[in-house]
Amino acid sequence: MAMQRSRFLRMSALMALALSTTGLSQAKTPQHAAAPRPNVVVVLLDDLGFSDIGRFGSEIATPTMDRLAQRGVSMSQFYVNPRCSPTRAALLTGKYPHEVGMGGLPLPSLMKTPPGPYQGYLNASVPTVASRLKEAGYATFMSGKWHLGDAPQNWPRKFGFDRYFGLISGASSYYELVTETMGKRIMADEDTPFTPPAEGFYMTTAITDRAVDYIRTHEQAAPDKPFMLYLAYTAPHWPLHAPDAAVRKYDGVYDKGWPDVRAKRLSRLKSQGMADLAVDAANWPAGREDWDRYPDKAGWARRMQVHAAMVELADAGLARVVETLEQSGDLDNTIILVMSDNGASGEDAAARGIDKPEILPGRQGSYVSIGKEGALMANTPFRDVKGTVFEGSVRSPFIAFWPKGLGRAKGLKSKGYATILDVMPTILDAAGVAPDSGEGRSLLPVLKGKAALKPQPFYWEHYGWRGVRDGPWKLVSPALSKDWLLFNIDRDPGENKNLASSQKALVARLSANWENWAKATHSESLDPKFLRMLDEGGKAAAKTPKAAQ
């Protein structure tokens, strides 16, 4: 009996040790297991000016984007393409837009265009960030503006998105789908054309509603599966549409004109740590005297009020997405990236011939834009507007938020520059997915404060506009011009002083690099006659101000 008792005690001790060891092992498992992969939310605004966000100097109320910037990282040197579709193509593929068929805007689906850099629809053979994440086990959603091909075979669900709702084509009324000179706009719900209800529809709200629905439905069906949401607002792209109540909040704000608003934005930029951007206004083509002579001051102020309301409503939509993530406990492990597709537009939307002048801007039936003066003000402190290769067109505000991934890294990154080509590699890196080949690089080490941004050349070609940023230098050639302008962006972000005549060897080197890039991407092949037809925004900007000569 004593022997049996001794054997029983030894066996009990061994079992207890085994159980305790197993318990310790189980307790340690979460510490050694791979961290849950983050959700991804990419927010792309449309024609947002550089200083249209509060964090970047604006008078417009954008508390959600400001909060993300305060808790995350913002960049004051982030480059995109001169127009919407090329930027969207680069964002989704990590490649220059010419490499994936989107060197320009989409062409009507009935037009037969040869495959190539200007085919007008996204190349189906190129992986997108959505398709790569989907292969890695992510759910993928998109709500908003596509603008990468109107034909059904070129719609989002063919490019890796599980769910889609939004505007397939370009600029559209926020209240309805109208037939205009450029053709009827297309919306889709999944793969089916969608017609907005006759009453109660507002584009920004509808895009937000569907985004929130996608997240909530996903959390109920697959709470442990990460997701990507591409939230592509049409705001604040013209036409200027917003409810009266939202517009009234900005009564009086713009009554003193663009000189007053621009001066205040410059002051805020300086106070918010961007003193290097409080630049000389030598290239500002509309000053106090121009405002004093302006014939429709009340109309301009009203248009800017609507523009501001559209930005604020987009921010409020993003707030609903953030709140949904907070309610589910997922916000801290969601990487949110906010940017614009290009700078504010100086185009005249009324020239399309469907505006009803008797209707107040903002209301259904009006079809106007903020115009050149408003766009220049929105792009403070930079030169020029959408469609060019000057900073006002190609520099975007950028915000990155990911509490669990970025840790204590917060604040402004003003040294060095990043580009739209870096977005896809950054997302794949955060998700633990191997990168694709391309010119971009992951920004995670920079966003975490573990590395500095290293200079890397970034090239532009858009309807004849040419350019390259390489280190502190930027080379620009307006459409249909053979001449190059050279600027030191680190010292002259306002592009006031053209150094081409004193730096001829540098101009020769950078222009040769551009030519090599153009040949590699076939972006030099656009017919000059076609350029003259398509270059909407570049004609006025191609005139070099005296200060830059």
Side-chain angles (χ1 to χ4, degrees), residues 69-84:
Q70 289 164 1
R71 292 185 58 191
V73 177
S74 53
M75 289 185 180
S76 61
Q77 293 199 64
F78 182 79
Y79 284 105
V80 293
N81 286 294
R83 267 196 182 88
C84 133

Side-chain angles (χ1 to χ4, degrees), residues 469-504:
R469 174 78 195 264
D470 191 350
W473 301 104
K474 184 179 175 190
L475 202 62
V476 175
S477 179
L480 305 177
S481 171
K482 295 181 179 180
D483 297 327
W484 290 99
L485 309 174
L486 179 68
F487 305 100
N488 186 320
I489 297 299
D490 285 354
R491 297 179 179 178
D492 178 26
E495 295 171 303
N496 291 306
K497 189 175 182 180
N498 177 17
L499 303 173
S501 61
S502 62
Q503 297 281 350
K504 293 181 179 180

Side-chain angles (χ1 to χ4, degrees), residues 49-115:
F50 178 84
S51 58
D52 273 341
I53 297 175
R55 174 65 183 90
F56 289 80
S58 186
E59 70 288 341
I60 302 172
T62 56
T64 307
M65 286 184 270
D66 295 347
R67 174 191 171 196
L68 296 178
Q70 289 164 1
R71 292 185 58 191
V73 177
S74 53
M75 289 185 180
S76 61
Q77 293 199 64
F78 182 79
Y79 284 105
V80 293
N81 286 294
R83 267 196 182 88
C84 133
S85 301
T87 290
R88 293 165 197 272
L91 186 157
L92 289 176
T93 66
K95 297 184 181 297
Y96 282 106
H98 305 80
E99 298 180 279
V100 294
M102 291 306 305
L105 294 175
L107 299 173
S109 57
L110 295 177
M111 288 184 65
K112 301 299 182 182
T113 56

Side-chain angles (χ1 to χ4, degrees), residues 331-383:
L331 181 62
D332 282 356
N333 197 30
T334 298
I335 181 168
I336 303 176
L337 304 177
V338 182
M339 68 208 79
S340 180
D341 60 350
N342 44 249
S345 171
E347 296 163 287
D348 180 10
R352 294 182 170 237
I354 60 173
D355 174 53
K356 298 177 181 178
E358 70 276 11
I359 297 178
L360 203 60
R363 296 177 180 173
Q364 186 172 351
S366 67
Y367 210 92
V368 296
S369 54
I370 58 176
K372 186 72 175 284
E373 295 86 0
L376 288 166
M377 190 274 292
N379 292 336
T380 298
F382 299 122
R383 177 178 175 179

Side-chain angles (χ1 to χ4, degrees), residues 190-403:
E190 310 296 10
D191 295 321
T192 304
F194 172 83
T195 300
E199 296 182 0
F201 180 84
Y202 184 68
M203 186 74 74
T204 301
T205 303
I207 290 171
T208 302
D209 286 346
R210 190 58 64 95
V212 169
D213 178 67
Y214 286 158
I215 295 173
R216 288 177 175 167
T217 302
H218 175 74
E219 287 172 347
Q220 294 174 357
D224 296 327
K225 185 176 184 177
F227 69 85
M228 173 194 171
L229 168 66
Y230 176 27
L231 183 61
Y233 284 116
T234 59
H237 194 297
W238 51 261
L240 296 173
H241 284 159
D244 284 346
V247 177
R248 282 194 296 269
K249 292 179 64 176
Y250 292 91
D251 282 350
V253 173
Y254 299 98
D255 288 356
K256 293 183 179 180
W258 55 77
D260 175 76
V261 180
R262 177 178 167 85
K264 290 178 178 178
R265 288 194 176 193
L266 288 170
S267 178
R268 291 190 201 97
L269 284 169
K270 188 174 182 179
S271 66
Q272 292 171 349
M274 290 178 264
D276 58 316
L277 299 186
V279 298
D280 176 50
N283 278 323
W284 181 248
R288 172 60 61 184
E289 292 181 358
D290 298 279
W291 170 253
D292 291 340
R293 292 192 299 264
Y294 194 73
D296 186 19
K297 294 180 174 62
W300 185 86
R302 170 73 187 192
R303 291 191 293 274
M304 293 310 303
Q305 284 182 242
V306 181
H307 173 84
M310 294 168 74
V311 175
E312 182 175 349
L313 290 170
D315 185 84
L318 178 56
R320 290 178 53 202
V321 171
V322 170
E323 181 182 4
T324 302
L325 293 167
E326 282 182 313
Q327 291 172 347
S328 65
D330 291 329
L331 181 62
D332 282 356
N333 197 30
T334 298
I335 181 168
I336 303 176
L337 304 177
V338 182
M339 68 208 79
S340 180
D341 60 350
N342 44 249
S345 171
E347 296 163 287
D348 180 10
R352 294 182 170 237
I354 60 173
D355 174 53
K356 298 177 181 178
E358 70 276 11
I359 297 178
L360 203 60
R363 296 177 180 173
Q364 186 172 351
S366 67
Y367 210 92
V368 296
S369 54
I370 58 176
K372 186 72 175 284
E373 295 86 0
L376 288 166
M377 190 274 292
N379 292 336
T380 298
F382 299 122
R383 177 178 175 179
D384 233 297
V385 297
K386 168 186 174 180
T388 76
V389 179
F390 291 120
E391 295 288 283
S393 174
V394 297
R395 199 190 288 208
S396 163
F398 181 86
I399 298 169
F401 169 92
W402 184 20

Side-chain angles (χ1 to χ4, degrees), residues 113-119 121:
T113 56
Y118 305 98
Q119 64 190 25
Y121 53 89

Side-chain angles (χ1 to χ4, degrees), residues 139-201:
T140 54
F141 314 125
M142 179 181 175
S143 184
K145 179 177 174 179
W146 176 241
H147 212 202
L148 291 172
D150 284 358
Q153 66 267 25
N154 299 318
W155 289 7
R157 280 165 52 86
K158 303 296 191 295
F159 292 89
F161 289 101
D162 295 319
R163 308 289 306 275
Y164 172 73
F165 170 82
L167 181 66
I168 292 293
S169 41
S172 174
S173 167
Y174 286 66
Y175 302 115
E176 59 186 336
L177 290 181
V178 298
T179 300
E180 54 155 310
T181 55
M182 302 297 287
K184 186 174 182 179
R185 297 319 197 204
I186 304 168
M187 291 189 69
D189 186 351
E190 310 296 10
D191 295 321
T192 304
F194 172 83
T195 300
E199 296 182 0
F201 180 84

